[in-house]
PDB file of all heavy atoms in Angstrom:
ATOM      1  N   ASP A 789     -11.671  22.788  -2.362  1.00  0.00           N
ATOM      2  CA  ASP A 789     -12.662  21.737  -2.697  1.00  0.00           C
ATOM      3  C   ASP A 789     -12.038  20.356  -2.817  1.00  0.00           C
ATOM      4  O   ASP A 789     -12.539  19.352  -2.315  1.00  0.00           O
ATOM      5  CB  ASP A 789     -13.419  22.088  -4.021  1.00  0.00           C
ATOM      6  CG  ASP A 789     -14.183  23.422  -3.867  1.00  0.00           C
ATOM      7  OD1 ASP A 789     -14.596  23.749  -2.755  1.00  0.00           O
ATOM      8  OD2 ASP A 789     -14.307  24.048  -4.841  1.00  0.00           O
ATOM      9  N   ARG A 790     -10.847  20.362  -3.390  1.00  0.00           N
ATOM     10  CA  ARG A 790     -10.179  19.056  -3.559  1.00  0.00           C
ATOM     11  C   ARG A 790      -9.725  18.479  -2.233  1.00  0.00           C
ATOM     12  O   ARG A 790      -9.853  17.250  -1.901  1.00  0.00           O
ATOM     13  CB  ARG A 790      -8.937  19.243  -4.452  1.00  0.00           C
ATOM     14  CG  ARG A 790      -9.246  19.532  -5.872  1.00  0.00           C
ATOM     15  CD  ARG A 790      -8.131  19.243  -6.812  1.00  0.00           C
ATOM     16  NE  ARG A 790      -7.002  20.175  -6.522  1.00  0.00           N
ATOM     17  CZ  ARG A 790      -6.789  21.364  -7.042  1.00  0.00           C
ATOM     18  NH1 ARG A 790      -7.648  21.820  -7.966  1.00  0.00           N
ATOM     19  NH2 ARG A 790      -5.730  22.038  -6.763  1.00  0.00           N
ATOM     20  N   VAL A 791      -9.183  19.335  -1.359  1.00  0.00           N
ATOM     21  CA  VAL A 791      -8.735  18.892  -0.040  1.00  0.00           C
ATOM     22  C   VAL A 791      -9.966  18.411   0.826  1.00  0.00           C
ATOM     23  O   VAL A 791      -9.953  17.394   1.451  1.00  0.00           O
ATOM     24  CB  VAL A 791      -8.009  19.955   0.742  1.00  0.00           C
ATOM     25  CG1 VAL A 791      -7.701  19.581   2.098  1.00  0.00           C
ATOM     26  CG2 VAL A 791      -6.661  20.271  -0.017  1.00  0.00           C
ATOM     27  N   THR A 792     -11.040  19.171   0.692  1.00  0.00           N
ATOM     28  CA  THR A 792     -12.230  18.827   1.440  1.00  0.00           C
ATOM     29  C   THR A 792     -12.772  17.446   1.005  1.00  0.00           C
ATOM     30  O   THR A 792     -13.189  16.635   1.821  1.00  0.00           O
ATOM     31  CB  THR A 792     -13.399  19.941   1.240  1.00  0.00           C
ATOM     32  OG1 THR A 792     -12.811  21.199   1.718  1.00  0.00           O
ATOM     33  CG2 THR A 792     -14.563  19.619   2.073  1.00  0.00           C
ATOM     34  N   GLU A 793     -12.824  17.244  -0.354  1.00  0.00           N
ATOM     35  CA  GLU A 793     -13.278  16.014  -0.856  1.00  0.00           C
ATOM     36  C   GLU A 793     -12.424  14.845  -0.479  1.00  0.00           C
ATOM     37  O   GLU A 793     -12.862  13.704  -0.126  1.00  0.00           O
ATOM     38  CB  GLU A 793     -13.416  16.105  -2.386  1.00  0.00           C
ATOM     39  CG  GLU A 793     -13.962  14.910  -3.067  1.00  0.00           C
ATOM     40  CD  GLU A 793     -15.369  14.588  -2.686  1.00  0.00           C
ATOM     41  OE1 GLU A 793     -16.105  15.470  -2.217  1.00  0.00           O
ATOM     42  OE2 GLU A 793     -15.786  13.376  -2.808  1.00  0.00           O
ATOM     43  N   LEU A 794     -11.094  15.110  -0.544  1.00  0.00           N
ATOM     44  CA  LEU A 794     -10.158  14.048  -0.152  1.00  0.00           C
ATOM     45  C   LEU A 794     -10.370  13.631   1.283  1.00  0.00           C
ATOM     46  O   LEU A 794     -10.338  12.432   1.579  1.00  0.00           O
ATOM     47  CB  LEU A 794      -8.732  14.502  -0.407  1.00  0.00           C
ATOM     48  CG  LEU A 794      -7.622  13.606  -0.074  1.00  0.00           C
ATOM     49  CD1 LEU A 794      -7.681  12.338  -0.906  1.00  0.00           C
ATOM     50  CD2 LEU A 794      -6.237  14.215  -0.204  1.00  0.00           C
ATOM     51  N   LEU A 795     -10.427  14.587   2.210  1.00  0.00           N
ATOM     52  CA  LEU A 795     -10.577  14.261   3.623  1.00  0.00           C
ATOM     53  C   LEU A 795     -11.934  13.633   3.841  1.00  0.00           C
ATOM     54  O   LEU A 795     -12.070  12.687   4.651  1.00  0.00           O
ATOM     55  CB  LEU A 795     -10.391  15.543   4.526  1.00  0.00           C
ATOM     56  CG  LEU A 795      -9.117  16.168   4.482  1.00  0.00           C
ATOM     57  CD1 LEU A 795      -9.090  17.456   5.261  1.00  0.00           C
ATOM     58  CD2 LEU A 795      -7.980  15.180   4.985  1.00  0.00           C
ATOM     59  N   HIS A 796     -13.032  14.151   3.210  1.00  0.00           N
ATOM     60  CA  HIS A 796     -14.350  13.517   3.401  1.00  0.00           C
ATOM     61  C   HIS A 796     -14.376  12.051   2.876  1.00  0.00           C
ATOM     62  O   HIS A 796     -15.090  11.266   3.471  1.00  0.00           O
ATOM     63  CB  HIS A 796     -15.392  14.329   2.668  1.00  0.00           C
ATOM     64  CG  HIS A 796     -15.747  15.521   3.410  1.00  0.00           C
ATOM     65  ND1 HIS A 796     -16.528  16.602   2.839  1.00  0.00           N
ATOM     66  CD2 HIS A 796     -15.370  15.962   4.652  1.00  0.00           C
ATOM     67  CE1 HIS A 796     -16.677  17.587   3.809  1.00  0.00           C
ATOM     68  NE2 HIS A 796     -15.982  17.255   4.876  1.00  0.00           N
ATOM     69  N   GLN A 797     -13.573  11.776   1.887  1.00  0.00           N
ATOM     70  CA  GLN A 797     -13.552  10.377   1.360  1.00  0.00           C
ATOM     71  C   GLN A 797     -12.968   9.468   2.468  1.00  0.00           C
ATOM     72  O   GLN A 797     -13.521   8.308   2.650  1.00  0.00           O
ATOM     73  CB  GLN A 797     -12.664  10.284   0.165  1.00  0.00           C
ATOM     74  CG  GLN A 797     -13.358  10.766  -1.108  1.00  0.00           C
ATOM     75  CD  GLN A 797     -12.466  10.693  -2.381  1.00  0.00           C
ATOM     76  OE1 GLN A 797     -11.340  10.230  -2.240  1.00  0.00           O
ATOM     77  NE2 GLN A 797     -12.970  11.165  -3.460  1.00  0.00           N
ATOM     78  N   LYS A 798     -11.947   9.889   3.216  1.00  0.00           N
ATOM     79  CA  LYS A 798     -11.360   9.068   4.261  1.00  0.00           C
ATOM     80  C   LYS A 798     -12.417   8.931   5.360  1.00  0.00           C
ATOM     81  O   LYS A 798     -12.572   7.753   5.919  1.00  0.00           O
ATOM     82  CB  LYS A 798     -10.116   9.738   4.803  1.00  0.00           C
ATOM     83  CG  LYS A 798      -8.956   9.797   3.897  1.00  0.00           C
ATOM     84  CD  LYS A 798      -7.755  10.421   4.520  1.00  0.00           C
ATOM     85  CE  LYS A 798      -6.580  10.425   3.479  1.00  0.00           C
ATOM     86  NZ  LYS A 798      -5.347  11.053   4.078  1.00  0.00           N
ATOM     87  N   LEU A 799     -13.098   9.921   5.741  1.00  0.00           N
ATOM     88  CA  LEU A 799     -14.145   9.851   6.738  1.00  0.00           C
ATOM     89  C   LEU A 799     -15.364   9.014   6.300  1.00  0.00           C
ATOM     90  O   LEU A 799     -15.905   8.250   7.065  1.00  0.00           O
ATOM     91  CB  LEU A 799     -14.657  11.239   7.119  1.00  0.00           C
ATOM     92  CG  LEU A 799     -15.513  11.362   8.346  1.00  0.00           C
ATOM     93  CD1 LEU A 799     -14.808  10.831   9.580  1.00  0.00           C
ATOM     94  CD2 LEU A 799     -16.002  12.785   8.590  1.00  0.00           C
ATOM     95  N   LYS A 800     -15.684   9.091   4.989  1.00  0.00           N
ATOM     96  CA  LYS A 800     -16.774   8.369   4.484  1.00  0.00           C
ATOM     97  C   LYS A 800     -16.356   6.817   4.444  1.00  0.00           C
ATOM     98  O   LYS A 800     -17.189   5.956   4.695  1.00  0.00           O
ATOM     99  CB  LYS A 800     -17.123   8.806   3.071  1.00  0.00           C
ATOM    100  CG  LYS A 800     -18.348   8.086   2.437  1.00  0.00           C
ATOM    101  CD  LYS A 800     -18.714   8.738   1.108  1.00  0.00           C
ATOM    102  CE  LYS A 800     -19.962   7.993   0.584  1.00  0.00           C
ATOM    103  NZ  LYS A 800     -20.302   8.638  -0.803  1.00  0.00           N
ATOM    104  N   GLN A 801     -15.107   6.449   4.170  1.00  0.00           N
ATOM    105  CA  GLN A 801     -14.617   5.110   4.223  1.00  0.00           C
ATOM    106  C   GLN A 801     -14.730   4.567   5.593  1.00  0.00           C
ATOM    107  O   GLN A 801     -15.231   3.420   5.742  1.00  0.00           O
ATOM    108  CB  GLN A 801     -13.187   5.035   3.661  1.00  0.00           C
ATOM    109  CG  GLN A 801     -13.065   5.231   2.182  1.00  0.00           C
ATOM    110  CD  GLN A 801     -11.607   5.101   1.798  1.00  0.00           C
ATOM    111  OE1 GLN A 801     -10.681   4.976   2.637  1.00  0.00           O
ATOM    112  NE2 GLN A 801     -11.401   5.284   0.431  1.00  0.00           N
ATOM    113  N   SER A 802     -14.461   5.328   6.610  1.00  0.00           N
ATOM    114  CA  SER A 802     -14.647   4.918   7.946  1.00  0.00           C
ATOM    115  C   SER A 802     -16.100   4.656   8.301  1.00  0.00           C
ATOM    116  O   SER A 802     -16.410   3.642   8.934  1.00  0.00           O
ATOM    117  CB  SER A 802     -14.034   5.943   8.855  1.00  0.00           C
ATOM    118  OG  SER A 802     -14.281   5.588  10.291  1.00  0.00           O
ATOM    119  N   GLU A 803     -16.986   5.530   7.740  1.00  0.00           N
ATOM    120  CA  GLU A 803     -18.365   5.346   8.072  1.00  0.00           C
ATOM    121  C   GLU A 803     -18.957   4.086   7.303  1.00  0.00           C
ATOM    122  O   GLU A 803     -19.749   3.372   7.890  1.00  0.00           O
ATOM    123  CB  GLU A 803     -19.155   6.617   7.589  1.00  0.00           C
ATOM    124  CG  GLU A 803     -18.871   7.886   8.453  1.00  0.00           C
ATOM    125  CD  GLU A 803     -19.412   9.108   7.911  1.00  0.00           C
ATOM    126  OE1 GLU A 803     -20.063   8.973   6.776  1.00  0.00           O
ATOM    127  OE2 GLU A 803     -19.431  10.139   8.520  1.00  0.00           O
ATOM    128  N   LEU A 804     -18.536   3.941   6.104  1.00  0.00           N
ATOM    129  CA  LEU A 804     -18.903   2.728   5.370  1.00  0.00           C
ATOM    130  C   LEU A 804     -18.465   1.433   6.102  1.00  0.00           C
ATOM    131  O   LEU A 804     -19.160   0.451   6.108  1.00  0.00           O
ATOM    132  CB  LEU A 804     -18.332   2.728   3.944  1.00  0.00           C
ATOM    133  CG  LEU A 804     -18.943   3.741   3.002  1.00  0.00           C
ATOM    134  CD1 LEU A 804     -18.207   3.752   1.624  1.00  0.00           C
ATOM    135  CD2 LEU A 804     -20.439   3.527   2.792  1.00  0.00           C
ATOM    136  N   MET A 805     -17.246   1.497   6.600  1.00  0.00           N
ATOM    137  CA  MET A 805     -16.793   0.316   7.398  1.00  0.00           C
ATOM    138  C   MET A 805     -17.620   0.090   8.663  1.00  0.00           C
ATOM    139  O   MET A 805     -17.902  -1.046   9.041  1.00  0.00           O
ATOM    140  CB  MET A 805     -15.328   0.517   7.836  1.00  0.00           C
ATOM    141  CG  MET A 805     -14.307   0.367   6.677  1.00  0.00           C
ATOM    142  SD  MET A 805     -12.578   0.484   7.175  1.00  0.00           S
ATOM    143  CE  MET A 805     -11.744   0.051   5.619  1.00  0.00           C
ATOM    144  N   GLY A 806     -18.108   1.139   9.205  1.00  0.00           N
ATOM    145  CA  GLY A 806     -19.017   1.076  10.390  1.00  0.00           C
ATOM    146  C   GLY A 806     -20.332   0.385   9.978  1.00  0.00           C
ATOM    147  O   GLY A 806     -20.887  -0.421  10.663  1.00  0.00           O
ATOM    148  N   LEU A 807     -20.824   0.762   8.759  1.00  0.00           N
ATOM    149  CA  LEU A 807     -22.073   0.123   8.304  1.00  0.00           C
ATOM    150  C   LEU A 807     -21.813  -1.285   8.006  1.00  0.00           C
ATOM    151  O   LEU A 807     -22.673  -2.198   8.288  1.00  0.00           O
ATOM    152  CB  LEU A 807     -22.564   0.926   7.053  1.00  0.00           C
ATOM    153  CG  LEU A 807     -23.013   2.355   7.269  1.00  0.00           C
ATOM    154  CD1 LEU A 807     -23.380   2.964   5.876  1.00  0.00           C
ATOM    155  CD2 LEU A 807     -24.181   2.377   8.177  1.00  0.00           C
ATOM    156  N   LYS A 808     -20.617  -1.596   7.433  1.00  0.00           N
ATOM    157  CA  LYS A 808     -20.287  -2.986   7.153  1.00  0.00           C
ATOM    158  C   LYS A 808     -20.208  -3.811   8.397  1.00  0.00           C
ATOM    159  O   LYS A 808     -20.630  -5.010   8.492  1.00  0.00           O
ATOM    160  CB  LYS A 808     -18.977  -3.078   6.347  1.00  0.00           C
ATOM    161  CG  LYS A 808     -18.674  -4.495   5.793  1.00  0.00           C
ATOM    162  CD  LYS A 808     -17.479  -4.425   4.939  1.00  0.00           C
ATOM    163  CE  LYS A 808     -17.138  -5.778   4.365  1.00  0.00           C
ATOM    164  NZ  LYS A 808     -15.984  -5.780   3.488  1.00  0.00           N
ATOM    165  N   LYS A 809     -19.630  -3.191   9.449  1.00  0.00           N
ATOM    166  CA  LYS A 809     -19.582  -3.906  10.717  1.00  0.00           C
ATOM    167  C   LYS A 809     -20.983  -4.246  11.263  1.00  0.00           C
ATOM    168  O   LYS A 809     -21.216  -5.279  11.821  1.00  0.00           O
ATOM    169  CB  LYS A 809     -18.773  -3.014  11.793  1.00  0.00           C
ATOM    170  CG  LYS A 809     -18.700  -3.525  13.154  1.00  0.00           C
ATOM    171  CD  LYS A 809     -17.904  -2.598  14.057  1.00  0.00           C
ATOM    172  CE  LYS A 809     -17.897  -3.103  15.461  1.00  0.00           C
ATOM    173  NZ  LYS A 809     -19.261  -3.119  16.079  1.00  0.00           N
ATOM    174  N   GLU A 810     -21.924  -3.234  11.052  1.00  0.00           N
ATOM    175  CA  GLU A 810     -23.290  -3.488  11.602  1.00  0.00           C
ATOM    176  C   GLU A 810     -23.903  -4.663  10.808  1.00  0.00           C
ATOM    177  O   GLU A 810     -24.625  -5.498  11.338  1.00  0.00           O
ATOM    178  CB  GLU A 810     -24.132  -2.247  11.429  1.00  0.00           C
ATOM    179  CG  GLU A 810     -23.669  -1.118  12.343  1.00  0.00           C
ATOM    180  CD  GLU A 810     -24.510   0.105  12.149  1.00  0.00           C
ATOM    181  OE1 GLU A 810     -25.456   0.054  11.275  1.00  0.00           O
ATOM    182  OE2 GLU A 810     -24.279   1.197  12.884  1.00  0.00           O
ATOM    183  N   LEU A 811     -23.598  -4.727   9.461  1.00  0.00           N
ATOM    184  CA  LEU A 811     -24.073  -5.800   8.636  1.00  0.00           C
ATOM    185  C   LEU A 811     -23.522  -7.222   9.166  1.00  0.00           C
ATOM    186  O   LEU A 811     -24.215  -8.067   9.207  1.00  0.00           O
ATOM    187  CB  LEU A 811     -23.726  -5.592   7.155  1.00  0.00           C
ATOM    188  CG  LEU A 811     -24.174  -6.628   6.191  1.00  0.00           C
ATOM    189  CD1 LEU A 811     -25.715  -6.742   6.252  1.00  0.00           C
ATOM    190  CD2 LEU A 811     -23.691  -6.306   4.800  1.00  0.00           C
ATOM    191  N   MET A 812     -22.219  -7.177   9.427  1.00  0.00           N
ATOM    192  CA  MET A 812     -21.615  -8.415  10.042  1.00  0.00           C
ATOM    193  C   MET A 812     -22.238  -8.815  11.302  1.00  0.00           C
ATOM    194  O   MET A 812     -22.546 -10.012  11.519  1.00  0.00           O
ATOM    195  CB  MET A 812     -20.137  -8.166  10.177  1.00  0.00           C
ATOM    196  CG  MET A 812     -19.297  -7.898   8.918  1.00  0.00           C
ATOM    197  SD  MET A 812     -19.274  -9.346   7.780  1.00  0.00           S
ATOM    198  CE  MET A 812     -20.342  -8.759   6.554  1.00  0.00           C
ATOM    199  N   ALA A 813     -22.530  -7.838  12.140  1.00  0.00           N
ATOM    200  CA  ALA A 813     -23.238  -8.107  13.434  1.00  0.00           C
ATOM    201  C   ALA A 813     -24.672  -8.661  13.183  1.00  0.00           C
ATOM    202  O   ALA A 813     -25.080  -9.582  13.914  1.00  0.00           O
ATOM    203  CB  ALA A 813     -23.267  -6.818  14.188  1.00  0.00           C
ATOM    204  N   GLN A 814     -25.387  -8.173  12.231  1.00  0.00           N
ATOM    205  CA  GLN A 814     -26.664  -8.663  11.936  1.00  0.00           C
ATOM    206  C   GLN A 814     -26.615 -10.116  11.420  1.00  0.00           C
ATOM    207  O   GLN A 814     -27.419 -10.991  11.824  1.00  0.00           O
ATOM    208  CB  GLN A 814     -27.422  -7.878  10.879  1.00  0.00           C
ATOM    209  CG  GLN A 814     -27.730  -6.393  11.369  1.00  0.00           C
ATOM    210  CD  GLN A 814     -28.294  -5.496  10.333  1.00  0.00           C
ATOM    211  OE1 GLN A 814     -28.458  -5.965   9.156  1.00  0.00           O
ATOM    212  NE2 GLN A 814     -28.566  -4.277  10.607  1.00  0.00           N
ATOM    213  N   ARG A 815     -25.621 -10.400  10.506  1.00  0.00           N
ATOM    214  CA  ARG A 815     -25.469 -11.757  10.029  1.00  0.00           C
ATOM    215  C   ARG A 815     -25.087 -12.712  11.142  1.00  0.00           C
ATOM    216  O   ARG A 815     -25.495 -13.813  11.181  1.00  0.00           O
ATOM    217  CB  ARG A 815     -24.440 -11.746   8.857  1.00  0.00           C
ATOM    218  CG  ARG A 815     -24.817 -11.063   7.679  1.00  0.00           C
ATOM    219  CD  ARG A 815     -23.787 -11.092   6.579  1.00  0.00           C
ATOM    220  NE  ARG A 815     -23.319 -12.455   6.281  1.00  0.00           N
ATOM    221  CZ  ARG A 815     -22.328 -12.776   5.494  1.00  0.00           C
ATOM    222  NH1 ARG A 815     -21.582 -11.806   5.025  1.00  0.00           N
ATOM    223  NH2 ARG A 815     -22.007 -14.011   5.248  1.00  0.00           N
ATOM    224  N   ARG A 816     -24.211 -12.231  12.084  1.00  0.00           N
ATOM    225  CA  ARG A 816     -23.868 -13.098  13.209  1.00  0.00           C
ATOM    226  C   ARG A 816     -24.988 -13.359  14.087  1.00  0.00           C
ATOM    227  O   ARG A 816     -25.156 -14.480  14.556  1.00  0.00           O
ATOM    228  CB  ARG A 816     -22.683 -12.364  13.994  1.00  0.00           C
ATOM    229  CG  ARG A 816     -22.242 -13.141  15.203  1.00  0.00           C
ATOM    230  CD  ARG A 816     -21.070 -12.392  15.821  1.00  0.00           C
ATOM    231  NE  ARG A 816     -21.356 -11.065  16.163  1.00  0.00           N
ATOM    232  CZ  ARG A 816     -22.036 -10.655  17.239  1.00  0.00           C
ATOM    233  NH1 ARG A 816     -22.550 -11.609  18.093  1.00  0.00           N
ATOM    234  NH2 ARG A 816     -22.250  -9.370  17.392  1.00  0.00           N
ATOM    235  N   GLU A 817     -25.840 -12.355  14.346  1.00  0.00           N
ATOM    236  CA  GLU A 817     -27.078 -12.594  15.141  1.00  0.00           C
ATOM    237  C   GLU A 817     -28.042 -13.522  14.458  1.00  0.00           C
ATOM    238  O   GLU A 817     -28.656 -14.375  15.175  1.00  0.00           O
ATOM    239  CB  GLU A 817     -27.764 -11.197  15.380  1.00  0.00           C
ATOM    240  CG  GLU A 817     -28.857 -11.265  16.399  1.00  0.00           C
ATOM    241  CD  GLU A 817     -28.385 -11.640  17.780  1.00  0.00           C
ATOM    242  OE1 GLU A 817     -27.245 -11.380  18.108  1.00  0.00           O
ATOM    243  OE2 GLU A 817     -29.197 -12.153  18.544  1.00  0.00           O
ATOM    244  N   ALA A 818     -28.122 -13.449  13.083  1.00  0.00           N
ATOM    245  CA  ALA A 818     -28.984 -14.396  12.334  1.00  0.00           C
ATOM    246  C   ALA A 818     -28.460 -15.792  12.485  1.00  0.00           C
ATOM    247  O   ALA A 818     -29.280 -16.663  12.678  1.00  0.00           O
ATOM    248  CB  ALA A 818     -29.060 -13.942  10.931  1.00  0.00           C
ATOM    249  N   ALA A 819     -27.151 -16.009  12.416  1.00  0.00           N
ATOM    250  CA  ALA A 819     -26.521 -17.314  12.614  1.00  0.00           C
ATOM    251  C   ALA A 819     -26.789 -17.891  13.997  1.00  0.00           C
ATOM    252  O   ALA A 819     -27.062 -19.030  14.214  1.00  0.00           O
ATOM    253  CB  ALA A 819     -25.127 -17.255  12.267  1.00  0.00           C
ATOM    254  N   LEU A 820     -26.691 -16.940  15.024  1.00  0.00           N
ATOM    255  CA  LEU A 820     -27.038 -17.358  16.386  1.00  0.00           C
ATOM    256  C   LEU A 820     -28.482 -17.776  16.563  1.00  0.00           C
ATOM    257  O   LEU A 820     -28.712 -18.764  17.249  1.00  0.00           O
ATOM    258  CB  LEU A 820     -26.704 -16.128  17.338  1.00  0.00           C
ATOM    259  CG  LEU A 820     -26.890 -16.440  18.785  1.00  0.00           C
ATOM    260  CD1 LEU A 820     -26.009 -17.617  19.280  1.00  0.00           C
ATOM    261  CD2 LEU A 820     -26.526 -15.228  19.613  1.00  0.00           C
ATOM    262  N   GLU A 821     -29.392 -17.017  16.000  1.00  0.00           N
ATOM    263  CA  GLU A 821     -30.823 -17.432  15.977  1.00  0.00           C
ATOM    264  C   GLU A 821     -31.041 -18.717  15.356  1.00  0.00           C
ATOM    265  O   GLU A 821     -31.819 -19.535  15.854  1.00  0.00           O
ATOM    266  CB  GLU A 821     -31.664 -16.264  15.336  1.00  0.00           C
ATOM    267  CG  GLU A 821     -31.687 -14.976  16.136  1.00  0.00           C
ATOM    268  CD  GLU A 821     -32.336 -15.094  17.452  1.00  0.00           C
ATOM    269  OE1 GLU A 821     -33.268 -15.984  17.570  1.00  0.00           O
ATOM    270  OE2 GLU A 821     -31.918 -14.401  18.430  1.00  0.00           O
ATOM    271  N   GLU A 822     -30.398 -18.965  14.199  1.00  0.00           N
ATOM    272  CA  GLU A 822     -30.612 -20.314  13.538  1.00  0.00           C
ATOM    273  C   GLU A 822     -30.019 -21.433  14.432  1.00  0.00           C
ATOM    274  O   GLU A 822     -30.645 -22.486  14.529  1.00  0.00           O
ATOM    275  CB  GLU A 822     -29.819 -20.226  12.179  1.00  0.00           C
ATOM    276  CG  GLU A 822     -29.993 -21.532  11.420  1.00  0.00           C
ATOM    277  CD  GLU A 822     -29.284 -21.466  10.079  1.00  0.00           C
ATOM    278  OE1 GLU A 822     -28.696 -20.410   9.773  1.00  0.00           O
ATOM    279  OE2 GLU A 822     -29.341 -22.495   9.330  1.00  0.00           O
ATOM    280  N   GLN A 823     -28.884 -21.146  15.106  1.00  0.00           N
ATOM    281  CA  GLN A 823     -28.385 -22.162  15.964  1.00  0.00           C
ATOM    282  C   GLN A 823     -29.325 -22.397  17.159  1.00  0.00           C
ATOM    283  O   GLN A 823     -29.526 -23.547  17.551  1.00  0.00           O
ATOM    284  CB  GLN A 823     -27.017 -21.725  16.543  1.00  0.00           C
ATOM    285  CG  GLN A 823     -26.364 -22.614  17.568  1.00  0.00           C
ATOM    286  CD  GLN A 823     -25.080 -22.067  18.111  1.00  0.00           C
ATOM    287  OE1 GLN A 823     -24.471 -21.171  17.606  1.00  0.00           O
ATOM    288  NE2 GLN A 823     -24.635 -22.668  19.207  1.00  0.00           N
TER     289      GLN A 823
END
């Protein structure tokens, strides 16, 4: 259980970064629309 949780945390961090990247892309698109 500990090893599974530890590995899943690394994978979850990668997924959270992917969501953050999508948020950055949305903000960039909003700035482009404003421009």
Side-chain angles (χ1 to χ4, degrees):
D789 298 330
R790 292 197 297 269
V791 172
T792 303
E793 181 64 23
L794 179 63
L795 293 178
H796 282 171
Q797 283 180 1
K798 294 182 180 180
L799 190 60
K800 187 175 181 180
Q801 288 178 356
S802 176
E803 294 174 353
L804 290 176
M805 286 185 176
L807 295 176
K808 190 175 181 181
K809 177 180 176 294
E810 293 180 2
L811 179 60
M812 295 295 105
Q814 293 175 2
R815 291 179 58 187
R816 178 175 55 80
E817 189 64 26
L820 180 60
E821 291 296 328
E822 184 179 358
Q823 177 184 345

